[in-house]
Amino acid sequence: MPDTYPITVRNRVKRLHERGRYDHESVHGILDAAMLCHIAYVIDGQPYCTPTAFWREGAHLYWHGSSASRMLRTQRDGLAVCLTVTHLDSLVLARSGFNHSVDYRSAMCFGTAHVVDDPAAKAQALDAMIDRFYPGRAAELRPITEQELKATMVVSMEIEEASAKVRSKGIGDDEADYTLPIYAVRFPVTQVIGAAEPCPRLSAGVAVPLGLAGFTPGRRLDDIILESHRATVPRESR
Amino acid sequence: MPDTYPITVRNRVKRLHERGRYDHESVHGILDAAMLCHIAYVIDGQPYCTPTAFWREGAHLYWHGSSASRMLRTQRDGLAVCLTVTHLDSLVLARSGFNHSVDYRSAMCFGTAHVVDDPAAKAQALDAMIDRFYPGRAAELRPITEQELKATMVVSMEIEEASAKVRSKGIGDDEADYTLPIYAVRFPVTQVIGAAEPCPRLSAGVAVPLGLAGFTPGRRLDDIILESHRATVPRESR
């Protein structure tokens, strides 16, 4: 596997191209720190944009859902998709409207979605999804039933092309504007988890699993999700 | 304007339809609490999914970018788009993999994107965007230059159809699973702003504008963004 995705007319970052990156480390780092993505796909010429949980193993992305889902049924026979992840890192209030911005990290991946049909491969993928977010959890759960497996569709997509776009410079005003008597500020933005709310019907004596030790109140979700990825996805697929 | 968006084959929530809502209040409430959306569109049969800042006035959504942007140039002559906003509210760890979920609020809007060509209307829209996020700020800024106005494209889309999808129930296990000795938990997720980082090159004596009084450390970004919308968008367009 090369260390960089090919650059084509489809994934080349045209606007503010100095923000564009194509190396695996940049693209994968953004993907692996997220639980949710947005997927664009086309049915009868109409574009749709659907949010969903996803995960990465090597050059493949996976997502899942109901076997009755319009998106997934359409993706059954190989559907072109664009999968995008965006982390918002700050609000940037400059001295002109034109220089207002946000700091962000986004990754855009292109490929063709295919259904994982083999029941064993599908069950394994669903366990991998649970473990990828919550290390060691799949083995602790009530096992999947045949009916649940039938009702669930898993879709996989090889990343054919991808690009990352990162802005992290905060305020960038025109040089002449810095002396103006205008307030300029950067507000950091983070997505964090709160205090655990254990199920009120928890059986007596059930302890918090070790795999959730990193899920502490106030921690950044992107840090937790990336940590889970690194703890569970096999080294050759990281 | 009716109080509910029409329900068609395009926007009808098929999966878990009990989560679907079509009334303006539900859809707009989700849109107005967000700064970023993801937009799906098609160029030469290829779907793209692009993150961007957006805002709503009445039944119209607006976004902007560089006049050289591929997305915006393609949208010049009327392009079908699907604009989606997603707020992640919690991670839901149930007693089976099948019942793992997240609580979320999402809105999906369909329409045709058109460029705002008139320079005065464009300049007004750009001021409206600044004020919509940062109340009263447009009037405090260094005014837009003719060159900046030329370099910027504003796109508007009437919402033809829309749907909201909301999950907020936390853990929902199969009745028989509640007695199993398995840890189940909900982790709340919020997106918050941190302490303001004023520009190090701020002119002496420049005070924090009153319009940013709500931007206090630890506050939820969705609350702030919704508050700004309500404070600035004219009543008839809220």
Side-chain angles (χ1 to χ4, degrees), chain A residues 55-125:
Chain A
W55 71 105
R56 182 184 71 84
E57 288 175 26
H60 283 81
L61 303 177
Y62 295 86
W63 55 97
H64 86 307
S66 161
S67 301
S69 146
R70 170 174 57 185
M71 170 174 82
L72 297 181
R73 275 186 293 116
T74 312
Q75 290 165 354
R76 163 164 284 288
D77 300 318
L79 184 75
V81 305
C82 174
L83 184 153
T84 298
V85 161
T86 309
H87 302 278
L88 177 62
D89 291 328
S90 82
L91 315 179
V92 175
L93 287 70
R95 293 166 177 84
S96 65
F98 194 76
N99 285 324
H100 274 62
S101 189
V102 296
D103 286 335
Y104 64 91
R105 293 161 287 148
S106 74
M108 196 181 271
C109 301
F110 297 94
T112 306
H114 290 281
V115 165
V116 176
D117 266 322
D118 176 64
K122 188 160 77 168
Q124 192 178 29

Side-chain angles (χ1 to χ4, degrees), chain A residues 49 84 94 137 175 183 192 201, chain B residues 49 84 94 137 175 183 201:
Chain A
C49 182
T84 298
R137 186 160 178 81
E175 194 50 43
Y183 187 71
V192 297
R201 296 174 66 181
Chain B
C49 182
T84 297
R137 186 160 179 80
E175 195 49 44
Y183 186 72
R201 296 176 66 182

